[in-house]
Structure formats: C-alpha cells, structure tokens
Amino acid sequence: MQQQRRATVPGAGGGAFLQLRSLPPALRPLVRAYLLGYASAVAPRLLTLILQHLSRRRTKNKKTLPAELDERTFGESVVHVLRTGLEPQRFPTFCAVLVGGSTLLQEPLKRIIARVATGLGDTARLRIARWLASLVAASFSLRLLQSKPGLPRRDSSSAVAAQADRDAQGGKKFAGRTLDLTLFAATQAVDVIVGELWSRHRARRTAARKWTKGEQFISRMIDPLTFVASCGTIMWAWFYSPDSLPSGYNRWITSAAHVDLRLIEALRRARSGELRYAEETGQAPLLGAMCKDYGLPYEWGDPVKVVPFPCDIVHMGRGPSCEYHAWRRFWLSWRWAMYTYLPLALALQLRKPTRKSPLLALLSASRSSAFLATFITFFYYGVCLGRTRVGPHLVGKTVPCRQRIDSGLCVGAGCFLCGWSVLIETASRRRDMALFVAPRAMATLLPRRCAADKQWRETLVFAASVAVVFTCALENPERVRGMMGGILGLTMRN
C-alpha cells in the first residue's frame, strides 16, 4: 500500500534533487523537509518582490525611485528574504526539526520501549515509538518557532497588532502567534481519526451487507458539509467581526466581494442597534450618500422614511431585480477570477505539456472561476432571499420583523448558501478545500492571543495532533487526505 502511495505522490519518482541519494537514508527526511520548508517560506515572498519590481519598472509615475536606486533596493530585498529564511527560528528549521526528529528518534525510543515493556510485540513497540517521537519533535519544534521574539505576524488584524503593541509597552507577555498552525494540525488529526473510525464502520457494515444508501450519501457529503459550515462561519466573521480574521485574508475576501463598504457598515449598524427602522438615530447620511453616488433617491437611504431600504441599494445601482443582480455578479466575478486562475492553470500544464494543455488549462480555470463566482453570487442572492424574496413571508413584514431580518437573518442566509458552490468542484478538490477552510473557521471562534503562561495548552494540542497525523502517515498513508498526505508521503520516505 505504501509503495502504491509513493507512486502517486508528485515528485516521488522525479529527479535526484529531493531523493537525496548521496545522503544517508536516516537524514533524507530532515534535509528534504528543510528544503521544502525553505522553498515554501521564501518563494512566495520572492515572487511578490519580483512582481512589485516589474510593476515599478513599467510605471510612468515620476515619483518612482531612480532606476539605479530601484535595482539596488530590489537586490537588497532579495538578499534579505533569502537570508531571513535561514534563521534558526524560522519555518524551514521548524520543518526540519519536526520531520527529522520524528524519524530519527524512532529507533532509540523503540529500544527503550523494548526494555521497559517486554511483553509488547514489535509492531506495538514501533507504533508507540513513532507516536512518542512525533510528540517530542512536535513539542520542541513548535517551542522553537514560538521562541522568536516580536509582535504578531503581519497578517494579524490591525486591532490585534495594536493591542499587542500596547501590551508589550506595558510589560505583558502574550502568546498565539502559532495558533493557525496549531489549528491546521488539529484539523488534520480530527480528519484522520474520524476517517479511520468511519472506514472501520463501513467495512463492518459492508461485510454484513447492511451498508445503506443513506450512509453512502453521508460519505459523499461530509466534505461539502464541512466546507459549507466553515465558509458560513468565516463569512459571518468577515461581516460582523472582521478582526477575528487575519488582515490579509480579510482583504482578499473584501476584494473578491466587490462591495461598497457603506452597505456592509449599514448592516453592521442594524445588528448593533445603532441603525433602527422608523427611529431617528442619525443614520440617513450613510446610505443616503451611497444612494446619491449610484443615482438613487437620497430618501431610500433614510431608515426613518423607507422601511426597509430597497434591494436596489444592495444591488448598488444595477436595478431592482435580484435575479439580474445575481447573474451580473456571477459574470463579473467569473471574469475577475479568470485573471488569477488561468495563468496558474497554464503554469501547471507546463510541467507535462501536450497539444491539449491549453484546452485543459482553460477548462480547469473556468471551473475554478465558476466555483468562486457561484460562491459570491450565492452569498449576495442569499441576502436578497432573506430581505425580500423569502424572509418577509416567513418572519413577517412589520417594522420589528424587518429590523430582525436586516439585523442578521439576511446575512445568515447568504452565509449558509455560499458554501454550496463547492459542489461544482471535483470530489478531490472538495476534500482539499474543506481541509483548507476548516482551521480558518475554527480560528474565528478562538481568541487570537492568550496569556504566555497558558501556551503549554496550545503546544500540547499541536504535539498530540502531529503525533496522530505522522504515525498514520507512516503506517497507513492513504488515511492522511489532501495535500498534506502527498507532502508527508514525499518528505518522510527514506
């Protein structure tokens, strides 16, 4: 089974670069993990620098740096990125300690267990040794990453970073910089455990010829349901508590949404009670100014005169039809997404180019763009369903009911619908996407920081989760699903 797994891992049968035949087998996982960690940490930053440099060279703005100074600044930035990636408290060293420790400690621990627990068989000793080796390596590697001094990462929200700065000035010490990594490991561990239990349940039911269509349906829908629940949580957080999301993630969602932020602010104020229908609370200028910008009557934005404010405002001047607005949203979002997905799809096809590569790249990019466009369309149309199409018929049309709808029910409808766009993707993509968004959804439910003396809890969760995933990757690699399974299959082989 493991040999079959290795044959399917990208790069497993590639050149000698990652096979490292010149190194002793015991050291290959450690070095391979360091190289992959270094590439993943440095390559995106280098790509960003290159794109920024090319953009500056093409611009005709007179305020740009002189050519000679720009080249020198670019070179210094590249050297800085390459050098900081080599620091011992960075991600590459973390990867090397995590993987290297998990593999190198196995044999010593197995010998110790053999002396202490003489009644255990070789298989049980190896399994316990692997679990303990991964536990120790994960604990040490995470502590190494956490030991780097400094404020929260740049992708933390501005409010979190500002509070951290005030706490640092006051002498307080807080932790939480590695929360996203810990939640990612915990999600993978839960997926491994639940998947193994479900697999055994299925084997028993199949052997007894009691496996039902309902259970088969659950097997197919577990990933889509995970994605739907996770995306709903993330979108709710983006709407009402954006500081719970990393700032980069928050900006990307806002960019993809193409929404007037005054509309978002109005719905937030409706939820907080600052904006109340049929009551004068001084909120007319917010949506009133928006109405003027989109050629709509100013009075439509006054919550005292118009209850509720028309969906024309939600459509941002594209007419009263919710269905037309949904279709136009789909088209604009699909076109916007193609600018991102098509170059990536073409680049992936260059690995093994054929005559059909351009067509395959176009189909792949179109499908991914359709997913994103449907996600955005479902969210907006869900808001319209809640506000005008369905919500008033279920909740009521009185002023308090309208207030209740715009205080969260309409946004909740959009949050519930948007994730179902994942059904457009293939089963393998649904799995990867579910595993990608689940830890981000969990992060919105937890504080971004914790007291430094409570950091041992995070370390324990991370270590136990990694021990589960790594042990499973060595004993039953097919059980570790998604991209992580492929990476571990490539990294941990001798």
Side-chain angles (χ1 to χ4, degrees), residues 179-180 183 229-246 249-250 253 437-449:
L179 176 64
D180 293 331
L183 292 177
S230 299
C231 286
T233 304
I234 291 171
M235 292 305 295
W236 184 269
W238 173 72
F239 222 95
Y240 292 122
S241 55
D243 286 339
S244 63
L245 295 171
Y249 201 43
N250 193 5
I253 296 176
V437 298
R440 285 159 175 77
M442 293 169 61
T444 66
L445 306 176
L446 298 172
R448 300 296 299 178
R449 301 183 305 140

Side-chain angles (χ1 to χ4, degrees), residues 31-198:
V31 177
R32 196 180 290 120
Y34 186 88
L35 293 175
L36 290 174
Y38 186 81
S40 65
V42 170
R45 299 175 64 188
L46 286 179
L47 179 60
T48 301
L49 283 176
I50 293 171
L51 293 176
Q52 291 175 347
H53 179 64
L54 294 176
S55 176
R56 285 195 298 267
R57 293 189 63 176
R58 287 196 302 266
T59 185
K60 296 181 180 179
N61 189 348
K62 296 181 180 180
K63 295 181 180 180
T64 56
L65 295 174
E68 182 179 350
L69 181 58
D70 182 58
E71 291 290 341
R72 184 163 61 249
T73 303
F74 172 70
E76 292 173 353
S77 299
V78 170
V79 172
H80 175 73
V81 169
L82 295 174
R83 185 174 61 247
T84 53
L86 299 172
E87 293 178 358
Q89 293 169 306
R90 296 281 183 171
F91 187 68
T93 307
F94 161 81
C95 294
V97 173
L98 178 60
V99 175
S102 299
T103 54
L104 293 174
L105 291 175
Q106 286 181 26
E107 285 303 320
L109 287 173
K110 184 180 177 181
R111 289 194 292 268
I112 294 175
I113 294 171
R115 295 175 184 174
V116 176
T118 57
L120 293 177
D122 289 341
T123 302
R125 293 171 188 170
L126 180 59
R127 183 171 298 163
I128 296 175
R130 284 173 173 172
W131 196 87
L132 289 176
S134 300
L135 186 75
V136 173
S139 301
F140 185 76
S141 61
L142 189 68
R143 295 299 296 271
L144 179 69
L145 204 61
Q146 292 169 340
S147 65
K148 180 176 175 58
L151 295 176
R153 293 164 45 185
R154 283 183 291 177
D155 65 350
S156 298
S157 66
S158 57
V160 171
Q163 183 61 43
D165 189 35
R166 291 191 295 269
D167 291 336
Q169 294 176 1
K172 298 180 181 179
K173 293 183 179 181
F174 286 87
R177 297 170 64 244
T178 55
L179 176 64
D180 293 331
L181 190 62
T182 299
L183 292 177
F184 175 76
T187 301
Q188 291 287 335
V190 170
D191 182 72
V192 166
I193 294 172
V194 173
E196 181 63 24
L197 294 175
W198 184 256

Side-chain angles (χ1 to χ4, degrees), residues 82-400:
L82 295 174
R83 185 174 61 247
T84 53
L86 299 172
E87 293 178 358
Q89 293 169 306
R90 296 281 183 171
F91 187 68
T93 307
F94 161 81
C95 294
V97 173
L98 178 60
V99 175
S102 299
T103 54
L104 293 174
L105 291 175
Q106 286 181 26
E107 285 303 320
L109 287 173
K110 184 180 177 181
R111 289 194 292 268
I112 294 175
I113 294 171
R115 295 175 184 174
V116 176
T118 57
L120 293 177
D122 289 341
T123 302
R125 293 171 188 170
L126 180 59
R127 183 171 298 163
I128 296 175
R130 284 173 173 172
W131 196 87
L132 289 176
S134 300
L135 186 75
V136 173
S139 301
F140 185 76
S141 61
L142 189 68
R143 295 299 296 271
L144 179 69
L145 204 61
Q146 292 169 340
S147 65
K148 180 176 175 58
L151 295 176
R153 293 164 45 185
R154 283 183 291 177
D155 65 350
S156 298
S157 66
S158 57
V160 171
Q163 183 61 43
D165 189 35
R166 291 191 295 269
D167 291 336
Q169 294 176 1
K172 298 180 181 179
K173 293 183 179 181
F174 286 87
R177 297 170 64 244
T178 55
L179 176 64
D180 293 331
L181 190 62
T182 299
L183 292 177
F184 175 76
T187 301
Q188 291 287 335
V190 170
D191 182 72
V192 166
I193 294 172
V194 173
E196 181 63 24
L197 294 175
W198 184 256
S199 177
R200 295 181 180 182
H201 168 77
R202 178 174 181 171
R204 289 194 303 268
R205 297 280 291 177
T206 303
R209 297 183 179 180
K210 294 182 179 180
W211 182 252
T212 65
K213 292 183 179 180
E215 290 169 317
Q216 183 64 32
F217 177 77
I218 293 174
S219 295
R220 291 197 306 266
M221 293 300 297
I222 188 64
D223 289 328
L225 288 172
T226 301
F227 185 84
V228 168
S230 299
C231 286
T233 304
I234 291 171
M235 292 305 295
W236 184 269
W238 173 72
F239 222 95
Y240 292 122
S241 55
D243 286 339
S244 63
L245 295 171
S247 60
Y249 201 43
N250 193 5
R251 286 194 301 270
W252 185 89
I253 296 176
T254 303
S255 175
H258 295 289
V259 64
D260 193 310
L261 295 181
R262 290 173 292 186
L263 175 62
I264 304 295
E265 180 62 25
L267 292 174
R268 287 173 180 168
R269 292 182 184 182
R271 181 165 181 80
S272 66
E274 189 176 353
L275 185 154
R276 295 189 295 275
Y277 284 128
E279 293 185 34
E280 180 56 66
T281 57
Q283 301 301 312
L286 177 64
L287 290 180
M290 182 178 169
C291 289
K292 290 182 61 178
D293 291 344
Y294 291 104
L296 302 174
Y298 182 89
E299 291 75 14
W300 285 8
D302 190 341
V304 178
K305 298 179 180 179
V306 179
V307 181
F309 58 84
C311 261
D312 300 61
I313 300 178
V314 178
H315 304 160
M316 293 184 292
R318 295 191 177 96
S321 173
C322 297
E323 287 70 30
Y324 174 77
H325 174 250
W327 163 247
R328 185 168 177 80
R329 277 285 177 183
F330 178 87
W331 163 244
L332 294 175
S333 300
W334 183 88
R335 188 178 63 181
W336 175 80
M338 282 293 286
Y339 285 108
T340 300
Y341 287 122
L342 186 56
L344 292 176
L346 289 171
L348 290 175
Q349 289 296 325
L350 290 176
R351 296 179 302 175
K352 293 181 180 180
T354 64
R355 291 182 179 180
K356 295 183 178 180
S357 292
L359 178 59
L360 293 175
L362 180 61
L363 292 176
S364 176
S366 297
R367 187 170 196 165
S368 297
S369 299
F371 153 74
L372 185 57
T374 304
F375 185 99
I376 296 170
T377 300
F378 277 6
F379 182 83
Y380 278 107
Y381 193 60
V383 172
C384 289
L385 287 176
R387 298 193 75 248
T388 58
R389 292 292 189 258
V390 177
H393 301 288
L394 297 178
V395 180
K397 300 181 181 181
T398 63
V399 171

